[in-house]
Amino acid sequence: MMNSEFQDKVAVITGGAQGIGQCIARQFADAGARVCIIDLQDNPCFVGDISKEADLRAFAAKVLAEYGHVDYLINNAAPLFKGLPDCSWQEFNYALQVGVSAPYMLTRLFYKHFAPGAAIVNISSSRDRMSMPGTECYTAAKGGIAALTHALAISLAGRVRVNSISPGWIETGNATYTGADTAQHPAGRVGTPEDIASMVLYLCSGKAGFITGENICIDGGMTRQMIYHGEHNWNLTM
């Protein structure tokens, strides 16, 4: 359904050709926005690697040549999911380039071209506050973008609102989950890309005009649970 608030607004989305990013792009397009995507995967806007400054500059130049301004910047592209002991120096830094450096650089490239009422939404992860073994490069990048969010919100105060979202378990394929996979979530189910996309559009809307520098965790309540072996049916098998 067309939403007049987003009609003809320019939405820039990294990693917008698949998964959560694709859903965000679709919702913006359905609301009437002009959607500009950069992704390694094929897409109608720009195929590029956001770890490379040259690609970011070329993409930003294309967006500004076509539209002259940016209303919404959604930093969604996912870094590598690796860590000890197999993540190399180059891979770790690549993850930070994708997850932290690229969002910073795109903000800088669009700095003078954000329209009045502009908004930035960074996609972090619930792993910005909790971890599993072997996820250091991903977790470091997601923690970095969550911190970058409030720094940018202060630097861009009065011009651009900047917020981040930390998704939990989001099923981006066609899998169906039942039993313990869903029961472990206080919300009673695994998340969907629509859960994240809907919040992105809300944070970009005028309804969120008093929200900036904030991180919103959308994880079905998982990070709010106290888990102790032997209590409330939680058991650790060694």
Side-chain angles (χ1 to χ4, degrees):
M1 180 179 294
M2 201 75 72
N3 183 329
S4 59
E5 181 174 7
F6 296 115
Q7 182 67 41
D8 294 328
K9 295 296 179 68
V10 179
V12 173
I13 305 168
T14 68
Q18 56 190 325
I20 293 172
Q22 185 179 54
C23 185
I24 295 169
R26 184 171 60 249
Q27 286 206 16
F28 267 119
D30 289 346
R34 309 293 187 183
V35 176
C36 304
I37 292 169
I38 180 171
D39 199 300
L40 287 170
Q41 304 296 320
D42 187 46
N43 70 84
C45 184
F46 193 96
V47 176
D49 183 347
I50 67 168
S51 74
K52 297 179 179 178
E53 183 180 352
D55 284 10
L56 293 174
R57 288 187 177 276
F59 172 60
K62 181 177 188 293
V63 171
L64 294 175
E66 291 182 2
Y67 299 107
H69 72 279
V70 171
D71 294 284
Y72 314 117
L73 171 60
I74 315 302
N75 291 302
N76 163 80
L80 287 175
F81 195 87
K82 295 186 73 174
L84 292 173
D86 61 339
C87 181
S88 70
W89 168 264
Q90 290 79 12
E91 289 172 322
F92 192 91
N93 281 288
Y94 175 78
L96 295 181
Q97 288 171 328
V98 170
V100 183
S101 301
Y104 169 78
M105 191 61 187
L106 282 175
T107 302
R108 191 167 182 270
L109 291 170
F110 293 133
Y111 180 76
K112 296 180 180 179
H113 305 282
F114 283 111
I120 297 172
V121 180
N122 298 318
I123 304 301
S124 182
S125 168
S126 59
R127 294 173 188 272
D128 63 5
R129 66 205 69 188
M130 57 193 299
S131 295
M132 296 171 63
T135 62
E136 282 77 13
C137 74
Y138 186 88
T139 298
K142 291 303 186 181
I145 192 64
L148 181 64
T149 294
H150 56 75
L152 290 175
I154 302 306
S155 294
L156 294 170
R159 294 188 54 217
V160 184
R161 292 184 301 103
V162 187
N163 294 288
S164 61
I165 296 172
S166 291
W169 183 349
I170 305 297
E171 172 53 42
T172 58
N174 297 313
T176 300
Y177 296 95
T178 59
D181 288 332
T182 58
Q184 69 181 331
H185 289 80
R189 65 174 176 86
V190 170
T192 68
E194 288 75 16
D195 292 320
I196 308 306
S198 295
M199 180 57 71
V200 169
L201 265 68
Y202 172 75
L203 288 172
C204 290
S205 75
K207 293 179 180 179
F210 199 54
I211 303 174
T212 193
E214 189 58 77
N215 175 277
I216 298 173
C217 187
I218 303 178
D219 70 345
M222 286 288 288
T223 54
R224 295 303 188 186
Q225 293 197 94
M226 295 288 288
I227 298 176
Y228 293 100
H229 171 67
E231 293 189 7
H232 304 289
N233 297 318
W234 293 103
N235 290 285
L236 176 64
T237 300
M238 301 296 289

